[in-house]
Amino acid sequence: MYDVVLLALGSDRAGSEGCGSDRPGSEGCGSDRPGSDGCGGDGCADAPRVPVLACADALTRAGARVSTVTAHSDAEIDAALARLDGSPRPDGLSWPDSDGKARLVVAVASDGQLRAVLRRLVRRYAPPPSRRPADLAPNRTIPDLPAIGLLPLDPARGPGSGATDLIAQLGLPRSPAEVAGAVLTGRVRRLDLLRNDGGSVTLDGALIGGADESGTPRPWQGRVEVDGAVLSDGQEQLLACVVGNAGGYAEVEGVPLLTATDPADGLVEVAVAVPVVARSGWTRRPRVRVEIRRARGRAVAVNPRTERVSYLDDGVGGELTRKRSWWVEPGAWAVFDPSVSG
């Protein structure tokens, strides 16, 4: 019999740092904190929503012991995640339980809410550099995080919709009964995680560069490097930069930017869109075309030369005011996926 924690995020915004706080140690924008994802209406309601209750009922009927938790703060998220801890270690580090007797389902109305929970998992289990244990994989800074069952609260973002969420991109079940079945079946699919030097994580991707009221991209300047390869030296204008782990930002304004994203290949795909002015020898009229430059690697650094550059990271908005680096943690997080072969 499994003990299942069904975690949803509350609607209060206490403790939010507010957008634009791109200082060291902040997440760049407090809006991925519990309840502050921009998911207004009943998407952030404190009372358990129908999908949560239906999933809890399905788990209970199957014999699981279910605890439903609505977290209003990071501390309450942490308290729920503590149930996933393993036995005490001689080195005193918090470490996830490898037996998986306790299981977690996260009910999310947005990718930003899921990111908020993953960020707390990373902070719980990432050892400080000075206490790196010998059993940690050499290409990782965190252990294998516990698998998560993902329960979507927004049916409008499923397959075939104009704006799909990460759950749809991964092809995971969306109905409460199917989610419950996936969790109890226990088939796990491991995925890459992007960490960044701002203290947060990225599951899908980040789109750097904003637009004006008409939707026209605002040009900006910044140096973009992927494993030492320079996509932009910071002197030219950029329309956008995409740091991709999955495929949510593969296309911007109808222009394909990312072409080969795979959330489990151990690589981050990066693209920049550069406006290039070309002159025709016949008309001598300047013509602007968009040049796309791409690279794949283990780490990417974006150093803005423009004072403030808008961005979306897993759908959460903020402003980039200093250098930001992302790196891949291969296979660090996982989801329950019934399509995985047993």
Side-chain angles (χ1 to χ4, degrees):
M1 181 181 295
Y2 295 111
D3 292 309
V4 180
V5 179
L6 211 169
L7 174 64
L9 302 188
S11 62
D12 70 306
R13 298 168 183 255
S16 175
E17 295 173 10
C19 293
S21 58
D22 197 34
R23 61 186 180 279
S26 77
E27 276 73 53
C29 178
S31 59
D32 65 345
R33 289 182 169 273
S36 53
D37 304 276
C39 52
D42 63 355
C44 292
D46 289 351
R49 295 186 61 188
V50 171
V52 174
L53 298 175
C55 187
D57 288 344
L59 289 164
T60 301
R61 286 195 299 270
R65 291 186 291 260
V66 182
S67 300
T68 301
V69 177
T70 301
H72 299 268
S73 66
D74 283 346
E76 291 182 342
I77 294 178
D78 293 345
L81 299 183
R83 305 186 197 184
L84 306 176
D85 288 358
S87 302
R89 291 168 53 103
D91 56 16
L93 294 172
S94 295
W95 217 250
D97 182 9
S98 59
D99 292 335
K101 296 301 183 183
R103 297 192 170 179
L104 175 67
V105 178
V106 181
V108 293
S110 68
D111 291 344
Q113 286 191 338
L114 176 59
R115 184 178 82 152
V117 175
L118 261 294
R119 190 181 71 242
R120 300 312 302 177
L121 270 176
V122 168
R123 291 194 175 190
R124 182 167 194 84
Y125 296 123
S130 61
R131 298 177 62 193
R132 181 183 177 89
D135 57 344
L136 187 61
N139 62 343
R140 293 258 293 273
T141 66
I142 52 177
D144 284 353
L145 299 177
I148 298 174
L150 301 183
L151 176 64
L153 298 179
D154 186 357
R157 296 177 66 85
S161 68
T164 56
D165 55 19
L166 185 61
I167 295 173
Q169 290 183 54
L170 296 175
L172 299 176
R174 300 188 72 86
S175 76
E178 290 174 323
V179 172
V183 171
L184 297 178
T185 300
R187 296 177 181 175
V188 172
R189 176 181 174 189
R190 301 217 68 87
L191 301 163
D192 300 335
L193 181 71
L194 298 183
R195 294 191 69 185
N196 68 53
D197 57 1
S200 193
V201 300
T202 300
L203 309 176
D204 184 355
L207 170 62
I208 304 168
D212 60 22
E213 292 76 6
S214 66
T216 303
R218 291 193 183 99
W220 57 282
Q221 292 177 299
R223 184 178 179 88
V224 181
E225 298 180 67
V226 183
D227 286 357
V230 179
L231 292 183
S232 173
D233 62 5
Q235 302 302 313
E236 57 198 338
Q237 298 291 314
L238 301 178
L239 298 179
C241 172
V242 175
V243 177
N245 189 39
Y249 295 95
E251 184 176 294
V252 177
E253 298 295 326
V255 178
L257 296 179
L258 304 181
T259 59
T261 53
D262 180 345
D265 64 356
L267 297 172
V268 57
E269 186 175 7
V270 183
V272 295
V274 184
V276 177
V277 178
R279 294 185 179 274
S280 170
W282 293 98
T283 64
R284 296 184 179 180
R285 291 180 179 177
R287 181 175 58 87
V288 178
R289 62 180 178 86
V290 178
E291 178 180 291
I292 307 299
R293 302 172 189 165
R294 302 181 180 92
R296 306 176 78 216
R298 291 291 312 278
V300 55
V302 179
N303 191 0
R305 302 291 170 82
T306 302
E307 184 177 1
R308 292 183 177 273
V309 182
S310 299
Y311 71 87
L312 287 174
D313 193 336
D314 283 345
V316 179
E319 287 187 331
L320 201 62
T321 60
R322 61 182 180 86
K323 183 179 179 181
R324 174 61 45 86
S325 297
W326 289 261
W327 66 90
V328 178
E329 300 278 348
W333 75 293
V335 294
F336 290 109
D337 185 348
S339 68
V340 175
S341 59

